[in-house]
DNA sequence: GACAATCGGTAACATATGTTACAGGGAGAG
DNA sequence: CTCTCCCTGTAACATATGTTACCGATTGTC
């Protein structure tokens, strides 16, 4: 039943570090459900009962959420091997927080949270690995959200730019480096309009803080640049 | 050794659902370290080696973080019973992401992450509960961050207010309800200055969207209010 | 009741930011 | 080369928001 999907599952971070044999034993132990969906079918419906952490085995699905205004907003796209529902699984809420819709025919495997934490009778030690992986996935998600928050909670544009450049500087270790995002992408990431980004960067150049041409950047006045970040 | 702290630990969400006896067995099993600190001592230093999830047993501590500019920013205050380091414990990073400083003499217990996931020999079933609790804590943290992000990524003040009111409305089910935050707190939560909040709320009242007096609110024009949220 | 402390509303002003439209310059295609 | 297209920078303008300061209302305390 699970055989044909083993390779895809092994690529999921949930089963990271396992080999085929271990995964097989594991699956025998927790007996997850595999369900097929047609295009445009609901894989999960926001507000309805949560049935387990999902992994897309084949096909592609879209995660959408209704905001307070009732508009559907696309949260992300899920491809084969990707995970959903991991945040809500252990939160104590029993409902899906968002809707997942099949973009094409999909196969999805659902793993019930209780199966993950309960001692399996055979005491497979992959079980322990599974829990470790899950903890790691959740931790990293939280840390990632934390980093995004840092940018969003800086109120002024100059602060955001400075924060970003300093982070890149730390990462590269040199005063001169190349941005991996173009202006459009950077503006999106910082959640500001592109012309505002350009304008502010030029002002910063005029003031001697930085120098740039296209995507190559040099930090001229490190100390002053740091002073621009002020939450 | 742990006896005098049992009551405080039982209040921690990490040990939620356990009784004194269970906790005791648990502690014998994972043997956490208890360390005392003087006022102003570092309990954890950002960048240094992570030693375990911490619980404040007595005293009060401050979590601070250096932002890109090198300024120290207060993240939160920790009181007795509260937890820190739970996000980084299983993330794969081995370093503290922030600094924790004792504000007064403190006692802290550190629980090593490996002790949590490893099968204890005595197979205590509180162990399973501990893991469940940890998963719950991390999930809720991620969901909370997610919710905050929703607010922060709305660009205009009116959108933030509308989003918040609609969320409260959903929660209460009635068009008229009471806010649990005062203006100052609400402004902080939405990351805007208080006078700007007041001003915008009054404009919304003038336009007939809402009515309010102090902390009691009535939604007059639900449809229009929804139209105000636009990400 | 008198007082202080806190909270919320208001106004006036400065300024940062959003918006729109356009122009120059590099890069790739033919 | 020459012609596009796309990425940037630039400008002008409207407007949302930040800032500061003050005032009245409410609440709690003595």
């Amino acid at each position: 039943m699970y055989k044909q999907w083993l390779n895809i599952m092994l690529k999921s971070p949930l089963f990271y570090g396992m080999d085929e044999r271990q995964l097989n034993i594991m699956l025998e132990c927790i007996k997850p459900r595999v369900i097929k969906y047609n295009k445009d079918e609901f894989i999960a419906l926001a507000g309805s009962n949560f049935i387990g952490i999902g992994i897309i085995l084949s096909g592609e699905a879209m995660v959408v959420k209704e905001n307070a205004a009732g508009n559907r907003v696309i949260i992300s796209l899920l491809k084969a091997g990707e995970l959903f529902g991991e945040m809500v699984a252990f939160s104590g809420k029993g409902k899906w927080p968002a809707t997942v819709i099949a973009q094409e025919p999909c196969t999805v495997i659902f793993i019930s949270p209780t199966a993950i934490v309960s001692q399996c009778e055979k005491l497979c030690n992959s079980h322990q690995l599974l829990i470790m992986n899950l903890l790691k996935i959740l931790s990293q998600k939280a840390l990632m959200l934390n980093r995004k928050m840092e940018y969003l909670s800086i109120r002024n544009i100059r602060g955001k730019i400075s924060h970003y450049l300093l982070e890149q500087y730390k990462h590269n270790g040199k005063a001169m480096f190349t941005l991996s995002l173009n202006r459009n992408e950077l503006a999106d990431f910082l959640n500001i309009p592109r012309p505002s980004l350009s304008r502010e960067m030029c002002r910063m150049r005029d003031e001697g803080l930085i120098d740039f041409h296209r995507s190559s950047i040099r930090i001229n006045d490190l100390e002053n640049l740091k002073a621009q970040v002020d939450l």
Side-chain angles (χ1 to χ4, degrees), chain A residues 131-171:
Chain A
I131 291 171
M132 275 295 280
N133 285 340
L134 194 54
L135 285 168
K136 187 168 183 173
I137 290 166
L138 284 172
S139 303
Q140 290 183 339
K141 191 125 195 168
L143 286 175
M144 186 266 289
L145 288 170
N146 228 16
R147 171 163 175 259
K148 270 202 172 178
M149 289 249 316
E150 280 183 19
Y151 282 101
L152 289 171
S153 52
I154 297 175
R155 291 227 185 93
N156 52 356
I157 290 188
R158 183 175 287 223
K160 295 188 186 195
I161 298 173
S162 305
H163 184 107
Y164 182 78
L165 292 179
L166 288 166
E167 209 179 56
Q168 294 300 306
Y169 166 72
K170 237 186 197 167
H171 182 262

Side-chain angles (χ1 to χ4, degrees), chain A residues 32-155:
Chain A
R33 292 162 61 188
V34 176
I35 306 181
K36 287 182 179 295
Y37 297 88
N38 297 320
K39 178 165 158 42
D40 293 328
E41 254 190 300
F42 287 120
I43 296 173
L45 183 60
S48 64
N49 286 337
F50 177 81
I51 60 169
I53 296 177
I55 303 175
I56 307 283
L57 295 177
S58 75
E60 205 170 306
M62 193 166 67
V63 185
V64 301
K65 195 169 181 179
E66 281 198 5
N67 64 13
N71 301 321
R72 281 199 173 166
V73 182
I74 299 175
I75 306 289
S76 63
L77 280 175
L78 298 171
K79 302 189 174 185
E82 294 191 302
L83 213 63
F84 63 95
E86 75 280 6
M87 288 208 307
V88 77
F90 298 96
S91 69
K93 301 185 193 296
K95 312 284 178 187
W96 290 102
T99 297
V100 183
I101 304 176
Q103 292 298 98
E104 31 182 287
C106 280
T107 319
V108 181
I109 190 168
F110 288 97
I111 300 169
S112 119
T114 51
I116 292 178
V117 287
S118 64
Q119 235 48 281
C120 59
E121 301 115 28
K122 298 162 197 158
L123 279 176
C124 61
N125 39 15
S126 322
H127 214 116
Q128 192 178 318
L129 190 56
L130 181 66
I131 291 171
M132 275 295 280
N133 285 340
L134 194 54
L135 285 168
K136 187 168 183 173
I137 290 166
L138 284 172
S139 303
Q140 290 183 339
K141 191 125 195 168
L143 286 175
M144 186 266 289
L145 288 170
N146 228 16
R147 171 163 175 259
K148 270 202 172 178
M149 289 249 316
E150 280 183 19
Y151 282 101
L152 289 171
S153 52
I154 297 175
R155 291 227 185 93

Side-chain angles (χ1 to χ4, degrees), chain A residues 164 179-194 197 215:
Chain A
Y164 182 78
L179 297 177
S180 56
L181 304 175
N182 66 25
R183 294 291 189 278
N184 250 316
E185 293 163 337
L186 182 53
D188 271 355
F189 181 70
L190 301 179
N191 203 33
I192 53 178
R194 186 194 55 81
L197 170 63
S215 61

